Amino acid sequence: MPKVLMLLPLWTLLACAGADGGATVDDVGPTLDAAMDARVEPDATAEPADGERPVPDRGSPDAEAPRDAEAPRDVGEPPVADAQPPPPPDQGPPPVPARDCTYPAVDFDGPLREYDVMGQPADRLVFEVPDLPDPALVEAATLTFSAYDLDHPGEEGTIRVNGQGPYPIPADAAFDNVESDAQVDVTGATVAGQNRVEFGPSATQPRTFFRIGRLALRLRARVESCQEAPAPPPPQAVARQVGYRAARYTRRNNWVVRCNDYAFTGRGAEHIPDDCDGLYDPDNSRRGTAIFAFPGLVPATYEVVIRSRHTANRNPQGALFIVDGEERRVSQVSDRDRTDDVWGRKRMGGDVEVVLDSSREGESDSIISITLRPVGP
């Protein structure tokens, strides 16, 4: 049982103290202190009575809730499942995004190549395009090329890519004896590595004639890196043309400069009436130069197009054209009369000259105009 402390009135305590030995009032203080200590500090070793629990102190944490009580939970809320660890990160590399790539033919920068056949021969005009990626990585493929004289829609000829096809050669009646650019969707026809592109004859025309060049395969492919499609030329760069009448000639006496169509090197007196300025006075050497000036050319990459009159008696070595200091020959020996030939592409700017140099051989060269067409930065 717990100890019961009974408090007596002060006067009773005083009386008892006096009876024991004459205690004074000063002796009462310790007696009261002892009594108070007995009241506030019950025996901690005593067992509580059956059915009783000690009342917690209001200042203790146990005063708010029983020690072992669970936190309240909304009715109907499912029990919280044990937290699961997050899945491990993917250890593989991220997928490669698709990019636009250009794969040029091995002779991309050369002049257009000619295909001139009769009937249905086995000969083909063939281009090789190397280094293509696995076709599983290719989302789309387009064959691009430049051409000359594709003027028979649906009848110009056919294309095969790695034996697949045939694809019709794009043509338009307006492309008679002029240059054009073409593209053909060849998705699904490419292979990894070396690719073969063949141009074949018309199935309906007795003669097939055209020129093809600057051929490339442009892919949308998931590859790490590649040669991207060429950027466009700057907007300030525009096509510029200088005609034969605006050229400057050296050894002018050997040039027949006609009034309405072209100029050429000659040596016969029979051409004297044909010269528009009356300056033709041949020394029978057929030698001289024709200089075409392009001042203030905007820096860019230009395609050089030479228009001239082809005949069977032109220089068999080809007419020598020097573009901003770089030499290349262009054949003018054919029966096609007025013809556009592509000398090639070159990046240049400022004051540029294109020279037809007929001073090295005593053969006949001709010229109608020089055109610089911007094609890249």
Side-chain angles (χ1 to χ4, degrees):
M1 294 293 290
K3 296 179 180 181
V4 180
L5 177 64
M6 298 182 62
L7 300 180
L8 300 177
L10 181 59
W11 61 269
T12 304
L13 294 173
L14 292 174
C16 293
D20 290 338
T24 64
V25 174
D26 292 338
D27 296 331
V28 177
T31 305
L32 287 174
D33 291 340
M36 292 300 292
D37 290 341
R39 182 182 68 83
V40 299
E41 294 183 10
D43 186 358
T45 62
E47 294 292 334
D50 294 340
E52 297 182 8
R53 294 187 63 183
V55 179
D57 184 6
R58 290 294 181 184
S60 68
D62 291 340
E64 298 298 327
R67 185 180 300 276
D68 297 331
E70 293 184 0
R73 190 170 64 216
D74 293 340
V75 177
E77 179 183 351
V80 178
D82 292 340
Q84 298 295 323
D90 186 1
Q91 298 301 317
V96 177
R99 66 182 73 233
D100 294 324
C101 303
T102 296
Y103 297 87
V106 292
D107 58 350
F108 181 86
D109 291 324
L112 273 63
R113 294 165 53 194
E114 187 170 288
Y115 186 65
D116 189 358
V117 297
M118 300 297 294
Q120 297 291 313
D123 295 342
R124 298 290 183 268
L125 183 61
V126 178
F127 294 84
E128 300 289 344
V129 185
D131 302 328
L132 264 68
D134 188 323
L137 304 177
V138 178
E139 296 182 356
T142 303
L143 176 68
T144 64
F145 56 90
S146 295
Y148 175 80
D149 200 34
L150 297 183
D151 59 342
H152 296 92
E155 300 180 312
E156 196 64 56
T158 58
I159 305 169
R160 290 188 181 272
V161 179
N162 300 311
Q164 297 195 46
Y167 306 95
I169 296 177
D172 191 295
F175 295 160
D176 182 28
N177 289 330
V178 299
E179 188 177 332
S180 61
D181 293 322
Q183 61 181 33
V184 179
D185 184 357
V186 294
T187 302
T190 63
V191 298
Q194 191 90 345
N195 284 247
R196 181 183 177 91
V197 180
E198 302 177 13
F199 290 80
S202 169
T204 58
Q205 298 292 318
R207 178 188 180 190
T208 301
F209 169 81
F210 49 72
R211 295 176 185 170
I212 303 293
R214 295 188 296 281
L215 183 142
L217 284 165
R218 296 187 178 178
L219 308 184
R220 180 74 174 168
R222 299 185 303 278
V223 293
E224 292 286 352
S225 62
C226 66
Q227 178 178 326
E228 299 182 358
Q236 299 86 355
V238 297
R240 293 177 58 178
Q241 183 179 90
V242 176
Y244 75 101
R245 293 283 288 159
R248 184 174 80 254
Y249 295 90
T250 64
R251 302 181 72 170
R252 170 68 174 85
N253 59 296
N254 289 326
W255 289 91
V256 179
V257 181
R258 297 167 63 93
C259 294
N260 57 354
D261 47 7
Y262 69 100
F264 64 98
T265 52
R267 65 181 177 189
E270 68 273 17
H271 299 301
I272 291 177
D274 297 329
D275 186 75
C276 196
D277 303 320
L279 299 177
Y280 176 64
D281 185 15
D283 59 15
N284 296 324
S285 70
R286 281 181 172 168
R287 297 178 186 269
T289 62
I291 303 168
F292 298 76
F294 295 85
L297 192 69
V298 174
T301 298
Y302 291 86
E303 184 172 75
V304 183
V305 181
I306 298 165
R307 186 165 181 82
S308 63
R309 182 170 184 254
H310 285 208
T311 65
N313 65 342
R314 297 294 180 220
N315 188 345
Q317 298 184 54
L320 177 62
F321 287 90
I322 306 172
V323 178
D324 197 27
E326 183 175 350
E327 299 183 0
R328 290 183 190 175
R329 289 186 181 268
V330 175
S331 176
Q332 298 178 336
V333 180
S334 78
D335 59 356
R336 290 189 302 276
D337 201 7
R338 277 74 172 169
T339 302
D340 288 335
D341 296 292
V342 176
W343 175 91
R345 295 184 177 194
K346 183 176 177 64
R347 193 178 194 283
M348 48 193 171
D351 295 336
V352 171
E353 289 186 344
V354 179
V355 179
L356 168 55
D357 187 351
S358 297
S359 65
R360 301 186 189 182
E361 299 93 26
E363 303 288 347
S364 177
D365 298 320
S366 77
I367 187 65
I368 296 175
S369 65
I370 305 290
T371 301
L372 303 183
R373 187 177 70 178
V375 293

